Amino acid sequence: MYICSVMKDIRVIVSGGGTGGHIFPAVSIANAIKNLHPEAEILFVGAEGRMEMQRVPDAGYKIVGLPIEGFNRKNPLKNIRVLWKIMKCQQMARKIIRDFKPQVVVGVGGYASGPTLKTAAQMGIPTLIQEQNSYAGVTNKLLAKSAKKICVAYEGMERFFPAEKITMLGNPVRQSLLDANISREEAIKQFGLDPQRPTILIIGGSLGARTLNESVLQHLEEIRNSDAQIIWQTGKYYSKEIQQRLADQPKVDNLVVTDFISNMDAAYAAADIVVSRAGASSISELCLLGKPCILVPSPNVAEDHQTKNAMALSTKGAAILVRDAEASDVLIQLALSTVTDKEQLATLSQNILKLALPDSANKIALEVMKLIEE
């Protein structure tokens, strides 16, 4: 057993964010460090104007924002400003690190992690990268050269990183999902639905997914006439438009529409199958919960990493993959037929459970402690 009680004055910077998929693991790792060492001081470094600037303080941690943004692939001339911002952020990161004096800096991906981890390594502070996807991003590939430890969630990551630095520990997920103690029947009743009917959960991430939303809107009649029922998270970005379009249609009684689901533990418990994008955090949650799923990778992500995430499951019979371009035609019909196929649901559940890597946050926190001790 690893003993951490002998260490005093633990200080760790956690950097990254941009999406829930980066923020949930970051907060989970921070919580795990605090569980190991309650006196530890943890400072987050995020990107100004991004989701982490609200979500991290909500979780009880202090965060400092950098004025960082990503490269513009469509208009290269705009990258002159981006390069200037990166240099400015590296200077800011140097001051943050000098003032806070961390023993380790952890990067979870997202714009802010680049200048923060690069500067920490230049200052001789050990860095740990937590790569969530099956296909490493450009920033993490560059940062890996100076990182002391790289924690990954998929096999075969030595394609991107030095093999001797890699440890496969999985992606931390929201602890509330794992601690949930709610039956399928209770969960379905929370959404005002019928426990006797097969249930599909459609989620497009915290902001929503246009393709998933259009797939539902174009097949309302099939949903209305089916034996199944659907819980549909539209995302706040699309909510107003969808409500207006639904107002022009006859009501679909077996469809619950919500812009955001706060009680995801109940939503997962209610679902017999989940339709989702293929972000790393979502996949990790589905694996740990053993949920049958249809994955529709977003095409609007760097290096098309969501397709690679989804293929890592679908090639093992652990998920069904539907391409974004095909989804509006085939997704709803496929979901409606699969949710009533108990044999296929059981196979998908068994196969996805085999890919689960439990207790990731605590294992990563232990790696952080080892770096401090070293």
Side-chain angles (χ1 to χ4, degrees):
M1 183 180 172
Y2 184 76
I3 306 295
C4 62
S5 58
V6 294
M7 286 188 278
K8 304 291 182 186
D9 197 26
I10 302 293
R11 291 181 308 284
V12 179
I13 283 178
V14 181
S15 184
T19 66
H22 288 133
I23 298 165
F24 294 137
V27 171
S28 295
I29 292 167
N31 290 342
I33 292 169
K34 294 288 276 187
N35 285 338
L36 282 174
H37 204 290
E39 300 305 313
E41 290 185 53
I42 298 173
L43 175 68
F44 280 74
V45 179
E48 287 179 357
R50 304 289 287 187
M51 194 187 296
E52 60 266 26
M53 300 307 294
Q54 179 184 339
R55 293 283 177 87
V56 168
D58 287 349
Y61 294 101
K62 184 180 177 185
I63 186 167
V64 180
L66 300 178
I68 190 76
E69 61 184 87
F71 282 103
N72 191 315
R73 290 179 170 86
K74 294 179 181 176
N75 188 346
L77 284 176
K78 290 188 176 180
N79 290 330
I80 296 169
R81 184 184 70 172
V82 175
L83 288 168
W84 179 82
K85 282 193 171 187
I86 289 171
M87 289 188 285
K88 181 182 178 183
C89 289
Q90 286 175 346
Q91 291 175 340
M92 292 175 68
R94 186 171 291 275
K95 185 177 188 311
I96 292 165
I97 292 165
R98 195 181 291 130
D99 291 346
F100 187 71
K101 299 180 176 66
Q103 291 108 328
V104 175
V105 176
V106 178
V108 296
Y111 298 143
S113 65
T116 307
L117 267 73
K118 181 181 179 182
T119 304
Q122 288 172 342
M123 295 172 74
I125 296 162
T127 61
L128 179 149
I129 295 170
Q130 201 267 319
E131 173 57 68
Q132 289 130 30
N133 293 295
S134 63
Y135 193 91
V138 173
T139 302
N140 276 353
K141 283 189 274 191
L142 293 172
L143 294 171
K145 294 171 186 174
S146 55
K148 291 287 185 183
K149 180 66 70 173
I150 302 165
C151 300
V152 302
Y154 291 91
E155 297 169 347
M157 297 303 285
E158 57 276 0
R159 290 176 295 157
F160 311 109
F161 304 130
E164 69 277 6
K165 295 182 180 183
I166 294 173
T167 180
M168 187 165 151
L169 300 178
N171 286 324
V173 301
R174 291 171 280 189
Q175 192 61 38
S176 59
L177 298 178
L178 305 180
D179 295 340
N181 185 21
I182 182 170
S183 70
R184 176 183 178 276
E185 186 172 349
E186 289 175 296
I188 288 176
K189 285 181 178 176
Q190 279 192 22
F191 290 94
L193 293 172
D194 181 359
Q196 302 302 316
R197 298 177 77 167
T199 304
I200 301 165
L201 171 64
I202 299 177
I203 44 174
S206 49
L207 298 176
R210 179 174 291 281
T211 298
L212 301 191
N213 291 339
E214 286 298 327
S215 297
V216 176
L217 289 166
Q218 290 177 31
H219 296 274
L220 291 174
E221 193 62 29
E222 286 171 69
I223 294 168
R224 185 183 291 109
N225 295 330
S226 75
D227 294 327
Q229 53 196 1
I230 295 177
I231 301 166
W232 175 24
Q233 179 184 278
T234 64
K236 293 186 178 181
Y237 184 81
Y238 299 103
S239 179
K240 187 176 179 182
E241 175 198 345
I242 287 168
Q243 292 298 341
Q244 289 171 345
R245 289 172 67 179
L246 288 174
D248 298 330
Q249 304 274 350
K251 190 171 186 304
V252 185
D253 292 326
N254 54 337
L255 179 66
V256 171
V257 186
T258 178
D259 63 342
F260 181 74
I261 299 173
S262 55
N263 52 334
M264 277 304 298
D265 53 340
Y268 278 133
D272 296 299
I273 192 167
V274 179
V275 176
S276 173
R277 286 303 202 190
S281 282
S282 297
I283 286 179
S284 294
E285 290 174 355
L286 294 166
C287 288
L288 286 163
L289 297 171
K291 280 290 163 186
C293 60
I294 299 172
L295 300 175
V296 186
S298 171
N300 307 312
V301 293
E303 285 96 24
D304 196 25
H305 68 252
Q306 285 203 7
T307 296
K308 297 171 178 87
N309 289 350
M311 287 179 69
L313 272 69
S314 64
T315 54
K316 296 176 181 174
I320 298 169
L321 169 60
V322 172
R323 302 278 178 180
D324 187 86
E326 301 165 357
S328 59
D329 292 330
V330 305
L331 178 61
I332 294 303
Q333 189 175 6
L334 180 63
L336 291 172
S337 62
T338 306
V339 78
T340 57
D341 186 338
K342 291 186 177 179
E343 190 175 330
Q344 187 177 13
L345 292 180
T347 301
L348 286 167
S349 181
Q350 289 163 11
N351 290 342
I352 200 169
L353 268 173
K354 292 174 189 173
L355 303 180
L357 293 167
D359 207 26
S360 296
N362 288 328
K363 290 173 181 173
I364 294 167
L366 286 173
E367 294 295 331
V368 173
M369 292 299 169
K370 287 177 190 173
L371 288 178
I372 292 173
E373 198 171 54
E374 290 169 8

